[in-house]
């Protein structure tokens, strides 16, 4: 298993370019630790190594994912997300502690946060909705990535019309947050929910627009008709 990580890291390095690294950095505030591997190449490498890994037991694969997360490297976090998501049919309730550890201790940028939470954690809460209440507690964290995680975990469930009560509960907690990446996260969650519950999300936005940051508001109403947008944006 150690050999797999060594080979994976060597392949990522050999496929990296300084041009890609610098280009990717533009999307992030602050310094980002990355190799500079293009997304399509990274996905291909991740899939190739998964073919070798998938016969191993879940605990060992999660342990490898943990080591990838510990590196603080963007591409390695994406590989960890891909491998963890590939195990989704094997998720059990105890895995919530594993995902919480990764979010709390290792996530250090919005892309890693969204990749992990949209898919791995999003699927997990659809399988085990009893963890929606603990997820809501994430929104009360001091850590910007944990707060964003609370919202972006519900993107895909919300698009399917699920968990609207929890969507609004998380939005209530984050409503006045001053961090733009948190605002964009919960605004995106509301936008996703509006695909199945347009009127309810519109009513929520209008009811709270006096205190909702404009960034969050604009995200939330993005898919609504012009008439609704005009009412929501009117000061």
């Amino acid at each position: 298993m150690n050999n797999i990580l060594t080979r994976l890291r060597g392949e990522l390095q050999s496929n990296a370019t300084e041009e890609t690294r610098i280009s990717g950095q533009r999307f992030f505030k602050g310094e980002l630790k990355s190799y500079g591997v293009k997304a399509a190449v990274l996905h291909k490498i991740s899939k190739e190594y998964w073919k070798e890994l998938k016969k191993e037991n879940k605990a060992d694969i999660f342990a490898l994912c943990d080591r990838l997360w510990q590196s603080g490297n963007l591409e390695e976090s994406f590989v960890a997300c891909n491998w963890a998501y590939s195990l989704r049919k094997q998720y059990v309730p105890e895995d919530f502690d594993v995902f919480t550890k990764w979010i709390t201790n290792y996530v250090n940028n919005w892309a890693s946060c969204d990749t992990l939470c949209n898919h791995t954690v999003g699927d997990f809460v659809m399988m085990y909705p009893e963890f929606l209440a603990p997820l809501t507690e994430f929104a009360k964290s001091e850590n910007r990535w944990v707060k964003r995680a609370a919202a972006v975990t519900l993107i895909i469930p919300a698009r399917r019309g699920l968990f609207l009560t929890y969507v609004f509960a998380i939005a209530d907690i984050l409503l006045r947050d001053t961090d733009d990446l948190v605002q964009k996260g919960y605004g995106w969650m509301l936008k996703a929910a509006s695909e199945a519950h347009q009127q309810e999300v519109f009513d929520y936005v209008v009811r709270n627009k006096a205190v909702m940051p404009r960034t969050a508001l604009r995200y939330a109403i993005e898919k609504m008709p012009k008439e609704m947008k005009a009412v929501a944006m009117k000061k």
Side-chain angles (χ1 to χ4, degrees), residues 8 12 37-47 74-76 78-79 82:
L8 170 70
L12 291 173
V37 181
K38 290 184 177 179
V41 176
L42 177 63
H43 184 66
K44 183 179 178 182
I45 292 170
S46 177
K47 283 182 70 174
L74 181 68
E75 288 93 345
E76 292 190 23
F78 286 169
V79 173
N82 290 343

Side-chain angles (χ1 to χ4, degrees), residues 1-2 4-5 53 60-68 83:
M1 299 289 269
N2 285 337
I4 285 178
L5 281 192
L53 258 187
D60 287 341
I61 297 171
F62 272 5
L64 275 187
C65 292
D66 200 79
R67 290 175 61 188
L68 289 169
W83 290 353

Side-chain angles (χ1 to χ4, degrees), residues 61 73 82 101 118 147 165 167:
I61 297 171
N73 179 279
N82 290 343
K101 176 188 176 185
N118 282 174
K147 288 189 285 187
T165 299
V167 166

Side-chain angles (χ1 to χ4, degrees), residues 78-135:
F78 286 169
V79 173
C81 290
N82 290 343
W83 290 353
Y85 186 62
S86 295
L87 291 165
R88 59 193 177 278
K89 291 182 180 178
Q90 298 181 43
Y91 291 165
V92 295
E94 291 75 17
D95 292 333
F96 188 74
D97 291 337
V98 176
F99 304 147
T100 298
K101 176 188 176 185
W102 293 348
I103 294 165
T104 303
N105 296 336
Y106 304 139
V107 168
N108 60 15
N109 65 82
W110 60 262
S112 297
C113 181
D114 296 357
T115 303
L116 175 63
C117 295
N118 282 174
H119 304 291
T120 297
V121 190
D123 268 43
F124 176 85
V125 296
M126 284 191 284
M127 291 172 71
Y128 301 107
E130 62 267 32
F131 286 91
L132 287 162
L135 179 72

